[in-house]
Amino acid sequence: LEQGIPHDKFPLLGSLCKRCQEAMQDESIRKSKLQDCVEVILADIHPGFEEEFIDEHTLYSIDLALHSSRIALEVDGPSHFISSASHKSDKITNGATLFKKR
């Protein structure tokens, strides 16, 4: 979309672009129980991790960051995956997680 494709040629692109921007700027935090558990354990081991740190370069939210050691942790709980309809044990990374890890 940033390559100069005119939105009047593909009206859906304008709508899609707007929805993508809104999703990326969504500041609501959705923490999993797994992430809560990891935070509690890390706080006991090494205090000082910042939760839901926003990276100024990418504007991505990082689950846990320890600035003094330049450590960033992402906790990929169940909501980061989708199940295969044919093989329930097969987990496929969802689109949002794939995009963030590219």
Side-chain angles (χ1 to χ4, degrees), residues 89-100:
S89 62
D90 292 344
K91 298 292 182 194
I92 302 166
T93 306
N94 70 20
T97 301
L98 281 173
F99 180 76
K100 191 172 184 180

Side-chain angles (χ1 to χ4, degrees), residues 6 28 33-34 42 53-54 57 67 72 81 86-87 91 96 99:
S28 60
K33 290 179 185 176
L34 175 62
L42 283 176
F53 169 73
I54 305 295
H57 299 291
H67 301 282
F81 301 92
S86 59
H87 297 44
K91 298 292 182 194
F99 180 76

Side-chain angles (χ1 to χ4, degrees), residues 25-69:
Q25 294 168 355
D26 180 5
E27 294 182 19
S28 60
I29 296 172
R30 297 171 206 92
K31 292 178 12 178
S32 67
K33 290 179 185 176
L34 175 62
Q35 184 176 334
D36 286 336
C37 290
V38 171
E39 290 171 12
V40 169
I41 292 168
L42 283 176
D44 285 343
I45 296 170
H46 194 298
F49 277 89
E50 180 181 347
E51 301 172 28
E52 301 303 330
F53 169 73
I54 305 295
D55 180 73
E56 64 184 43
H57 299 291
T58 62
L59 300 180
Y60 292 154
S61 173
I62 297 170
D63 292 342
L64 298 157
L66 184 62
H67 301 282
S68 61
S69 299

Side-chain angles (χ1 to χ4, degrees), residues 5-25:
I5 298 172
H7 294 284
D8 60 336
K9 300 265 187 211
F10 301 98
L12 179 61
L13 289 181
S15 170
L16 181 60
C17 182
K18 183 175 181 347
R19 288 178 47 207
C20 289
Q21 288 172 336
E22 290 168 355
M24 290 298 292
Q25 294 168 355

Side-chain angles (χ1 to χ4, degrees), residues 71-85:
I71 295 173
L73 295 174
E74 279 295 310
V75 181
D76 288 350
S79 65
H80 290 265
F81 301 92
I82 54 176
S83 295
S84 168

